[in-house]
Each structure stands twice: as C-alpha cells, then as structure tokens.
Amino acid sequence: MSAKNLIKWIDSHYPAAPTVDNGNGTLTISIECVNVNTSAVFIERQVIPATMAAAREVLGY
C-alpha cells in the first residue's frame, strides 16, 4: 500500500490531527488520550514506519 493510501486509511479512523508523511518512510500519527485519574485530554504523537502492520498496532487492530 502506498503511503498516500495508508494515510487516507489511518485518517478515516479520526485521529486527533491529520497523519503526516515525514518523507523518510515514516508517518507521524496523533492520538487523543485521556488521563484516567483526572479526565484531562492530551494529544500523543507517535512516529511509526509507513506500513499497515505498524498502523494497525497503533490503532489497536
């Protein structure tokens, strides 16, 4: 799968911000997280390889 199609697939799962192609075979994905103790919401960014396996792992598939 091309990086462009992978980004479209990831973004169809409503991340906190659009997925960024870093141009070096990696993507930056933004995930909205909630602190279970305080209910505070924060954005976590992860750099992952531009592969379906890595995207599925981050999204919990």
Side-chain angles (χ1 to χ4, degrees):
M1 176 178 290
S2 71
K4 182 178 178 179
N5 287 337
L6 183 58
I7 289 169
K8 286 174 70 174
W9 183 81
I10 293 167
D11 287 350
S12 74
H13 291 83
Y14 306 104
T19 302
V20 177
D21 184 347
N22 298 322
N24 62 359
T26 64
L27 304 174
T28 300
I29 298 178
S30 300
I31 301 168
E32 188 173 289
C33 303
V34 179
N35 183 309
V36 296
N37 297 318
T38 65
S39 297
V41 177
F42 59 96
I43 306 299
E44 180 179 297
R45 290 176 177 80
Q46 292 185 335
V47 177
I48 64 166
T51 65
M52 179 60 84
R56 287 179 176 271
E57 183 176 332
V58 169
L59 295 173
Y61 288 103

